[in-house]
Amino acid sequence: MGARKTAIGAAAIGAAVSAGFVVSGTADAATTPSIRTVFAGDDAYVSSTRTKTNFGAATQLVVGAAGGETSTSFVKFATGSFPAGSTLSNARLILPYDGTPVESRVSVFPVTGDWNEGTITAAGQPAIGATAVASAVPRAADQTVTIDLSKVVTQAGTYAFALRSASTTAVTRFQSAEAGVQSGPRLVVNYAAPTTAPTTAPTTAPTTAPTTAPTTAPTTAKPATCTTGALLVPSCGVLWGAAAGGFTDTPRDTALKDWEAMTGRTATIYHTYHKGDEKFPTKAEIAMTQDKAHPRVLLLNWKVAYNTTWAKVAAGQQDARIDAWAAYVKANYGTQKFFLALHHEPENDVNPTAGSGMTGKDYAAMYRHVILRLRAAGVTNAINVLAYMGNEKWMAQPWWKDIYPGDDVVDWVGLDSYVSVEKNYYHFGDFGSLLDRQPTGGGLGFYDWSVKNHPSKPIMVAEWGMYHRIAYPTSKAAAFSTVVPQLAKHPQVKAIVYFDTAADNSGDRNIAVNSTADSLTAFRQVAASPIFNVELKN
């Protein structure tokens, strides 16, 4: 099924960019887009002659009558919440054509009763109001028809409508959300949030002073300041991070600075990748984490076993490599703390064959050996992250549990996980499904597994992203809108690090936050959340 439905869901929120769109340049200021675009969470049509047939998977919505068959279409939208005190205006339903429309009036009717696109039929359709709330006449010269719903959509909520055509001799077909690239019905709403009162003092003093002092001090509590502790775990809130410019030649520090400017927040965690005998942090990485105006901490991935095996590392055959890196870190990075992930996503490289040197137990032995040797060499500023791939296929393997090297050498449990925003494409989902992916065959999802088995360990989403195929640009707004609500439901997650690239290593997937205009708008809203206001104590 197609790409459009991906921008939908029960919490579908997408903000479209317009000439009047304004976003603050700082994360602490409120972000108030003037337009929100929401795509249908459910859409389907029903037939008067095929009364028990469900057409929820069709790529078309059909209205009108032809050959003795009358078709009615249904659409449902969830607007999501708006800033307190917002005023909604100029709500309009936009329906893109599939083929040439009949120039006969299309009317919108209110719908009562629950329904969903997977089960609705003419025999079981919800009640339709007797009076249309709005209508418009499609024009063949246009690509869409717009129907004014300003009198109906006046506040946040879920809205369901039935669409009917006045034509009795032909049908009009609209693209459904399953049709593919940027298709399907959409609801576009203008809204205005209240302006923030000025914080400056009045220019003139009151003419009379109060005759009595207040008997008690104000009771309003000052908001808690979220700060990081010894293992960089925030006392409250969630650490915000990124790796930008993936699979390009752009210097990573430059890519990250550009990404921060685009998204409106400094990435507290700066994620970089190294292997073998490379010496790191590099001068550029050190400079990025010593920029007092933009506090950052490094997340360094290191494939220690590059050109060898985990078993050989565990047996001491790469001790010279480990010792050389330890000496470099002490000489060039002092005591400044950093996150260290040894060979992230190890599941992808496991060879369970005995003697391969790359079994799950070999990984755990390698991990323990490296961390203990680094500690013995005096590297005490490394905060260790075990970054799982978290793929349901790997989680179901009998060797998956062997990877964990022990609580004494793991400070954070990490997860690298991605979701598609193309419905019915591989790993379609939202931020919650990214965290809760379950093993093939069932069992605890990743988050629940980690909390149950390692309750003392904070969870870092060391890589995450929302993607669509490059050839099918699709709004990520709905998926992005789930991030903050899902973090509230998963309190063990203490850090999230976005991996941003316009083309992944397969060359097929776009993970960039700005792959569509409304995707970037929605992502900026995520970045602006106060949950990420964490002061780095390093």
Side-chain angles (χ1 to χ4, degrees):
M1 293 179 58
R4 286 308 316 223
K5 206 55 156 289
T6 62
I8 319 168
I13 303 175
V17 174
S18 71
F21 171 57
V22 178
V23 175
S24 168
T26 63
D28 295 331
T31 302
T32 311
S34 60
I35 297 177
R36 176 168 296 173
T37 300
V38 183
F39 297 99
D42 288 274
D43 61 356
Y45 74 93
V46 300
S47 164
S48 63
T49 58
R50 293 171 285 175
T51 58
K52 296 183 179 180
T53 302
N54 170 257
F55 299 98
T59 59
Q60 301 171 333
L61 298 175
V62 186
V63 294
E69 179 182 34
T70 300
S71 297
T72 301
S73 289
F74 291 82
V75 294
K76 185 188 298 182
F77 302 92
T79 68
S81 61
F82 293 90
S86 292
T87 301
L88 277 60
S89 64
N90 194 24
R92 57 269 191 206
L93 172 64
I94 300 177
L95 302 168
Y97 303 137
D98 186 321
T100 303
V102 178
E103 295 191 347
S104 187
R105 185 169 295 278
V106 172
S107 298
V108 177
F109 294 82
V111 170
T112 57
D114 192 26
W115 62 276
N116 67 75
E117 65 175 23
T119 59
I120 189 172
T121 64
Q125 71 186 40
I128 300 174
T131 304
V133 295
S135 65
V137 177
R139 300 301 180 192
D142 299 330
Q143 296 181 328
T144 63
V145 62
T146 298
I147 303 175
D148 187 356
L149 294 179
S150 300
K151 294 182 179 179
V152 180
V153 180
T154 58
Q155 61 184 358
T158 299
Y159 293 86
F161 303 106
L163 310 176
R164 289 173 170 166
S165 172
S167 173
T168 58
T169 58
V171 297
T172 291
R173 293 179 173 86
F174 301 111
Q175 295 175 10
S176 77
E178 283 74 18
V181 184
Q182 296 294 296
S183 58
R186 55 189 182 270
L187 181 66
V188 182
V189 184
N190 287 29
Y191 71 97
T195 57
T196 303
T199 57
T200 54
T203 55
T204 57
T207 55
T208 57
T211 57
T212 58
T215 57
T216 58
T219 58
T220 303
K222 182 180 180 180
T225 299
C226 301
T227 60
T228 55
L231 295 177
L232 297 178
V233 180
S235 58
C236 55
V238 177
L239 291 172
W240 176 260
F247 307 107
T248 71
D249 294 330
T250 305
R252 293 296 177 264
D253 56 333
T254 299
L256 186 67
K257 290 177 181 178
D258 291 344
W259 189 86
E260 291 172 339
M262 176 177 66
T263 58
R265 181 184 285 277
T266 296
T268 304
I269 298 177
Y270 173 28
H271 197 176
T272 66
Y273 301 80
H274 297 281
K275 60 188 178 183
D277 293 313
E278 293 178 10
K279 297 298 186 289
F280 59 93
T282 65
K283 290 182 178 179
E285 290 167 354
I286 293 172
M288 287 286 279
T289 59
Q290 294 181 350
D291 179 356
K292 293 183 179 180
H294 302 89
R296 305 181 185 93
V297 61
L298 282 169
L299 168 57
L300 300 170
N301 265 314
W302 185 23
K303 290 193 173 182
V304 188
Y306 183 69
N307 282 335
T308 181
T309 66
W310 295 330
K312 290 180 178 180
V313 173
Q317 295 184 28
Q318 290 296 329
D319 283 357
R321 173 180 287 177
I322 298 168
D323 294 345
W325 185 70
Y328 175 87
V329 171
K330 288 191 294 180
N332 292 275
Y333 212 50
T335 60
Q336 187 169 347
K337 294 175 184 177
F338 61 91
F339 291 112
L340 176 65
L342 296 180
H343 203 119
H344 70 299
E345 303 177 8
E347 302 99 313
N348 209 38
D349 295 317
V350 166
N351 180 347
T353 304
S356 68
M358 296 293 286
T359 67
K361 291 182 178 179
D362 290 330
Y363 175 83
M366 176 277 298
Y367 195 106
R368 288 192 62 83
H369 179 79
V370 174
I371 297 305
L372 293 177
R373 191 167 185 89
L374 288 174
R375 289 175 178 172
V379 179
T380 58
N381 49 335
I383 310 299
N384 304 313
V385 182
L386 174 54
Y388 285 95
M389 193 173 194
N391 185 285
E392 64 272 28
K393 177 175 68 174
W394 301 137
M395 293 172 69
Q397 298 300 314
W399 48 258
W400 194 73
K401 64 182 183 301
D402 296 336
I403 291 173
Y404 195 80
D407 281 352
D408 60 324
V409 290
V410 174
D411 298 314
W412 289 63
V413 174
L415 171 66
D416 292 1
S417 188
Y418 297 82
V419 292
S420 167
V421 294
E422 293 183 63
K423 190 170 185 180
N424 288 344
Y425 190 66
Y426 182 63
H427 279 165
F428 168 75
D430 61 13
F431 196 77
S433 59
L434 176 153
L435 296 173
D436 294 321
R437 193 162 291 146
Q438 295 181 327
T440 301
L444 289 177
F446 186 91
Y447 178 86
D448 291 335
W449 169 86
S450 183
V451 171
K452 177 183 178 181
N453 291 283
H454 307 289
S456 66
K457 303 301 179 183
I459 296 173
M460 173 188 293
V461 187
E463 285 185 14
W464 72 280
M466 312 294 191
Y467 67 83
H468 56 70
R469 289 172 290 175
I470 292 174
Y472 299 92
T474 304
S475 174
K476 299 169 182 172
F480 285 150
S481 74
T482 66
V483 173
V484 174
Q486 287 297 330
L487 286 174
K489 295 179 180 179
H490 297 83
Q492 201 78 349
V493 176
K494 302 298 183 181
I496 62 173
V497 184
Y498 198 90
F499 187 88
D500 192 284
T501 181
D504 69 354
N505 56 352
S506 72
D508 184 47
R509 297 172 183 171
N510 187 322
I511 313 174
V513 299
N514 63 338
S515 60
T516 68
D518 57 341
S519 296
L520 177 57
T521 299
F523 192 81
R524 286 182 63 101
Q525 289 179 306
V526 177
S529 173
I531 195 175
F532 304 115
N533 293 347
V534 179
E535 184 179 351
L536 185 63
K537 297 290 188 180
N538 194 354

